[in-house]
Amino acid sequence: MSPSLLALLDDITAVLDDVASMTKLATKKTAGVLTDDLAVNAQQVVGVQASREIPVVWSVAKGSFINKLLIIPAALLINAFAPWLMVVLLIIGGAYLCFEGAEKIHHTLFHKNSDKQKVLLNETGEVITDEMIQKMEKDKIKGAIRTDFILSAEIIVITLHTVANYSLTIQIMTLLSIAILITMGVYGLVAGIIKMDDLGYWMMKNAKAASLKAKTGLMLINAAPYLMKILGFIGTVAMFLVGGGIIIGEVPQLIALQNNWITMLNEYFFKHFVGIIYSFILGFIVGYIVLAGHAIYVKLFNKAH
């Protein structure tokens, strides 16, 4: 084997090693956004017919991957020609996540009864047609892809920050690796979660009543709705934590304030606990400020028309 070929193989190995290590590091840094992404997308499929759950997840997964393929070149161009804009986009994205968290809490507290009334109307009076079901499905897919775009943008931007000091080749390969791994991982888990009750039913159907298989199936069926509620709660909390954390990380004054609070504590556990609480409180405040601004804008817009 010629020395030039050996050198080429060595260079390729070094690049792949860098890509693998950077992908691993970026996955750790985006763990909070991934948790949010998983919880949000699992919730988006609620209300879809059982036979249409996997096709809906597949449609959203394809949309998510297309989102990432559109975001990657845009992020690389912005990073090359206007790196300051990356900070602005991160802060806007963080504020949007906080807003979504605040909107979820507000909706749960003040619009729960109206949702129940709508369900009762559908159960008692309104005839649900195939066209209505298809429209609801399309709306869910569009809404999920729209939310995914923000989360995907955050993931790509955070990953790009992680590999900012590496060559363009390593940046592109790492971003593509993250896009593929995260899309497959998140939507694979979503598909598994929403089909958990179906798996439980299959296990009960194909086993003796008192067998371990049947008992496990019953446990999966009973656990499915609770798991969805837990994921919804985790997703809401993650929106505040991730959004607040992103904003803190890009505003030096907020970082300094956090460090001042942390230096007041000597215990390792409490230092990290303060950082989490700080991110959550800031995210909660930012979310409700944006929510209030959005409500004012909607009222003014409606008056204008």
Side-chain angles (χ1 to χ4, degrees):
M1 191 176 291
S2 64
S4 59
L5 182 58
L6 285 172
L8 177 62
L9 290 174
D10 187 53
D11 289 341
I12 293 172
T13 303
V15 168
L16 292 176
D17 186 54
D18 286 339
V19 170
S21 60
M22 286 298 100
T23 301
K24 184 178 178 180
L25 180 60
T27 303
K28 288 181 179 179
K29 287 190 174 185
T30 57
V33 186
L34 291 179
T35 304
D36 190 11
D37 201 7
L38 174 62
V40 168
N41 282 293
Q43 286 289 316
Q44 292 282 7
V45 191
V46 174
V48 176
Q49 287 182 318
S51 61
R52 294 294 302 161
E53 286 174 343
I54 295 300
V56 168
V57 172
W58 174 242
S59 296
V60 178
K62 288 190 291 184
S64 175
F65 190 66
I66 292 170
N67 281 342
K68 293 177 180 67
L69 290 181
L70 293 173
I71 292 165
I72 287 172
L76 288 168
L77 287 170
I78 291 170
N79 190 52
F81 298 104
W84 58 269
L85 189 55
M86 297 294 285
V87 175
V88 176
L89 292 175
L90 274 170
I91 292 174
I92 292 172
Y96 180 81
L97 290 177
C98 297
F99 163 72
E100 284 228 318
E103 193 176 40
K104 279 193 171 186
I105 292 176
H106 186 78
H107 184 83
T108 301
L109 292 175
F110 299 104
H111 298 282
K112 201 170 184 180
N113 291 332
S114 63
D115 287 346
K116 288 181 179 178
Q117 288 173 357
K118 288 178 182 177
V119 171
L120 288 171
L121 281 172
N122 287 335
E123 288 179 351
T124 57
E126 190 176 354
V127 177
I128 300 175
T129 62
D130 290 339
E131 289 76 12
M132 291 171 63
I133 293 172
Q134 290 173 6
K135 184 180 183 302
M136 182 196 73
E137 186 177 298
K138 288 179 181 179
D139 289 342
K140 278 186 173 289
I141 292 170
K142 287 179 182 178
I145 293 174
R146 188 166 55 247
T147 302
D148 176 89
F149 187 87
I150 301 296
L151 295 169
S152 294
E154 295 298 317
I155 290 167
I156 296 302
V157 170
I158 292 169
T159 302
L160 190 54
H161 268 234
T162 306
V163 295
N165 296 325
Y166 286 80
S167 66
L168 181 62
T169 300
I170 292 176
Q171 288 180 7
I172 293 172
M173 290 180 70
T174 302
L175 290 170
L176 288 174
S177 299
I178 283 288
I180 294 169
L181 289 173
I182 285 176
T183 304
M184 290 176 61
V186 167
Y187 290 97
L189 282 171
V190 169
I193 290 168
I194 63 173
K195 282 299 178 184
M196 194 170 75
D197 54 348
D198 290 342
L199 175 62
Y201 175 75
W202 178 86
M203 291 175 72
M204 288 184 65
K205 188 179 178 182
N206 294 278
K208 293 181 180 179
S211 66
L212 178 62
K213 186 177 180 181
K215 290 178 180 178
T216 304
L218 180 61
M219 183 184 69
L220 289 174
I221 292 172
N222 291 332
Y226 293 103
L227 179 59
M228 294 301 292
K229 288 180 180 179
I230 291 169
L231 280 173
F233 174 77
I234 291 172
T236 303
V237 172
M239 283 179 178
F240 292 125
L241 287 175
V242 175
I246 289 170
I247 294 170
I248 290 168
E250 301 304 324
V251 181
Q253 293 82 356
L254 294 175
I255 297 174
L257 181 60
Q258 177 176 292
N259 291 336
N260 288 338
W261 287 359
I262 289 175
T263 51
M264 293 170 62
L265 301 169
N266 295 322
E267 293 293 333
Y268 177 82
F269 172 77
F270 287 112
K271 286 182 180 179
H272 289 274
F273 192 67
V274 167
I276 292 170
I277 294 296
Y278 183 56
S279 296
F280 181 83
I281 291 173
L282 181 73
F284 188 85
I285 293 170
V286 170
Y288 268 89
I289 289 173
V290 178
L291 182 63
H294 178 262
I296 293 169
Y297 168 77
V298 169
K299 284 185 178 180
L300 292 175
F301 183 80
N302 288 337
K303 282 184 178 180
H305 289 77

